[in-house]
Amino acid sequence: AAQASKSFPPVAQWHPEQVGHIDILIDGAGRWHHEGRLIQRQALVNLFATILRCDDGVYCLVTPVEKLIIQVEDVPFVAVDLEVKGRGRDANLLFTTSVNDHVVAGADHPLSLRAGVPYLHVRGSLYARIARNVYYRLIEYGAEEAGQWVVYSAGEAFCLGAVE
């Protein structure tokens, strides 16, 4: 419900002719920097996040008139909290990101591992890396199935790696 009440601009539909670069970096910890300085105002970061998209691996802030390319070290968001409703196969895993998005893992928002690091699909082609403390909590809700550690959310099974 919290996510449904958020309004996102239709950035996927915007294809402005004016393209440029802006000195914004999202570091590996999901912190946003402008001209080398940390952006302190979380409300500004949250606003920028609503106009962020990724085109073929290139991250950009998009408006109807301008597309500004930025740098992202890994992925733009971090999943910083986890709330679990239900248990086992009936669980719903609700993640909160560093930009206050609320995402239930499921078919439209899968969990995945890249080189052993857990990620969550947030929207469009944007992902959140799951913070280590959140990942440890997530593992508590899993179970071994056929040699794999599996969690369920919204009726979907997600493998968190092999059981050793």
Side-chain angles (χ1 to χ4, degrees):
Q3 189 68 8
S5 68
K6 287 182 87 169
S7 176
F8 290 94
V11 295
Q13 299 170 12
W14 295 340
H15 303 285
E17 291 183 23
Q18 187 173 344
V19 178
H21 290 79
I22 186 169
D23 188 5
I24 289 181
L25 166 73
I26 305 173
D27 69 20
R31 295 177 301 231
W32 293 54
H33 303 261
H34 179 250
E35 296 180 349
R37 297 181 62 196
L38 184 66
I39 299 175
Q40 298 288 337
R41 294 180 52 211
Q42 186 61 43
L44 184 59
V45 169
N46 294 354
L47 176 64
F48 283 157
T50 67
I51 60 168
L52 179 66
R53 78 174 188 217
C54 184
D55 297 335
D56 299 319
V58 176
Y59 290 91
C60 50
L61 301 176
V62 183
T63 70
V65 296
E66 188 173 37
K67 174 178 168 177
L68 297 172
I69 297 169
I70 68 169
Q71 298 298 312
V72 177
E73 288 183 348
D74 182 16
V75 293
F77 311 131
V78 177
V80 296
D81 197 13
L82 169 66
E83 184 178 337
V84 180
K85 302 282 187 181
R87 299 206 45 85
R89 293 177 186 258
D90 296 322
N92 285 307
L93 305 172
L94 173 64
F95 292 88
T96 301
T97 72
S98 51
V99 293
N100 207 31
D101 283 331
H102 305 283
V103 181
V104 175
D108 292 336
H109 303 284
L111 297 170
S112 59
L113 289 178
R114 301 180 199 166
V117 178
Y119 291 87
L120 170 70
H121 175 255
V122 176
R123 65 177 176 275
S125 54
L126 303 176
Y127 289 81
R129 189 184 71 262
I130 298 174
R132 182 172 294 187
N133 65 322
V134 174
Y135 184 57
Y136 290 151
R137 287 181 46 219
L138 176 63
I139 289 173
E140 293 176 13
Y141 294 98
E144 181 180 351
E145 292 185 11
Q148 301 292 315
W149 198 254
V150 177
V151 294
Y152 286 86
S153 183
E156 298 289 323
F158 301 101
C159 178
L160 299 178
V163 175
E164 297 181 17

